[in-house]
Each structure stands twice: as C-alpha cells, then as structure tokens.
Amino acid sequence: RILSYDLIFYYTISYLFLVNVKGLTTAQIVFADSFYPLFKLIFQIPCTLFIQKFGKRNSLIVSNIAVAIFVLLTIGLIDTFTMIISNFFLAFAFVIKAMAESTILYDSLEDTPNKREQFTKYEGKSAAGYFFLEAITSLGTGFLYVINPYVPLIICLLVTIFTVFLSAMLHEIPTSNEEIVH
C-alpha cells in the first residue's frame, strides 16, 4: 500500500509537465481534470460489482494496470481528449483501490479481539510510510524533471508496474460467507 496509495513522482511536476512539455493550457487541464470526480462518481456501483465478481485480489491487479495505463497515456498525451481518457482509467483504478485495498488487509488478519486495533495500526503505518516516501521523492522529482521531464513519469510508471506484480502476489482471502458456500 505504501507504493500504491497514490502516484509517486507525479503530482509534484504534473502541471509543469502538462503545460511545458505537452503544451496544454490551464483551461484544458482544468477541463480534463473535472472529468475525474465525475468518473469516480459513475464508477462507484460498477466497481463494487466488479470486485464482487472478480475478487479483491484480481480487482487490485486490474486497478494497478489501469494506473499504469493512466501514466502511459499521460506520457504519450497529445490532446485534451487523451487526458480525459487517462482520467477515466485513473478514476476506475482509485475507486477499486479505495474499496479493495483496506478490506483485503482487514480480511487477511486473524480473527482476534484486537483485530480492529491491529488493522488500524497497519493502515496507519502504511499511510505514514507513503507520506514519508512521497516527501522524499517529491524533493528528487524536481531535480529529475530538470534533467529530463519524462524521467519522473517513467519512474512513476516503473513503480506502478512493480505494484502490479506485488498485487499479483496477494492471495484472495475468503470471507466466512464464501467458506460456507464453497
């Protein structure tokens, strides 16, 4: 979760990259980004059904692949429409991640009286780890951007691909209802 909580190496330079390298205007960026919350709203029910049908593990794999597609589309961005499509993939990914990441962690913990406290501890550690990593990488991202504006995005893509492999190593944890049915 530390690596996949959000996009590492991206947000610090995203605006500069879109304006200076891809030639978009502020109005185009704001317009395209306005589709992101709309897509997140639209995806709430379909993603819930997707997770139920394919499981949390497979859904996390697909969501991390969708994040990689977002980064690839951003690297190859040619116009506002491409940015809207990239936001489609990002919204899809983060809706699934919001639903599945925490629950797969919770389901993987042993049923003990302190399961909630243990879950909260792990969630807190992963969030803290992400923010620590994001702070460090944000410092380096600016320097990397000056060297070559594509380097931070390529590193972001590599981290995202790594999270695809990490999510593929997870195991689906059956819930008590699934154990009864099977």
Side-chain angles (χ1 to χ4, degrees), residues 134-158:
E134 177 65 14
I136 291 171
T137 59
S138 291
L139 293 171
T141 302
F143 293 110
L144 293 171
Y145 181 83
V146 171
I147 294 169
N148 183 331
Y150 286 93
V151 170
L153 287 167
I154 291 169
I155 294 172
C156 179
L157 178 62
L158 293 173

Side-chain angles (χ1 to χ4, degrees), residues 73-163:
L73 287 172
T74 302
I75 290 170
L77 195 73
I78 53 174
D79 58 11
T80 309
F81 181 73
T82 309
M83 190 171 171
I84 292 169
I85 297 302
S86 71
N87 280 322
F88 174 89
F89 283 100
L90 191 64
F92 172 77
F94 280 127
V95 168
I96 288 177
K97 287 164 139 328
M99 292 179 192
E101 278 183 340
S102 293
T103 56
I104 203 166
L105 170 62
Y106 188 80
D107 292 345
S108 69
L109 298 174
E110 287 185 41
D111 285 328
T112 62
N114 64 346
K115 183 176 182 175
R116 288 184 186 178
E117 291 82 18
Q118 196 177 17
F119 169 75
T120 304
K121 179 178 141 186
Y122 289 134
E123 275 287 293
K125 282 185 177 182
S126 66
Y130 164 77
F131 290 120
F132 179 75
L133 182 62
E134 177 65 14
I136 291 171
T137 59
S138 291
L139 293 171
T141 302
F143 293 110
L144 293 171
Y145 181 83
V146 171
I147 294 169
N148 183 331
Y150 286 93
V151 170
L153 287 167
I154 291 169
I155 294 172
C156 179
L157 178 62
L158 293 173
V159 169
T160 303
I161 291 169
F162 182 65
T163 62

Side-chain angles (χ1 to χ4, degrees), residues 58-80:
N58 292 334
S59 298
L60 285 176
I61 293 168
V62 170
S63 70
N64 285 319
I65 291 170
V67 173
I69 292 170
F70 164 80
V71 177
L72 281 171
L73 287 172
T74 302
I75 290 170
L77 195 73
I78 53 174
D79 58 11
T80 309

Side-chain angles (χ1 to χ4, degrees), residues 174-181:
T175 61
S176 57
N177 292 343
E178 289 173 349
E179 290 173 341
I180 293 169
V181 173

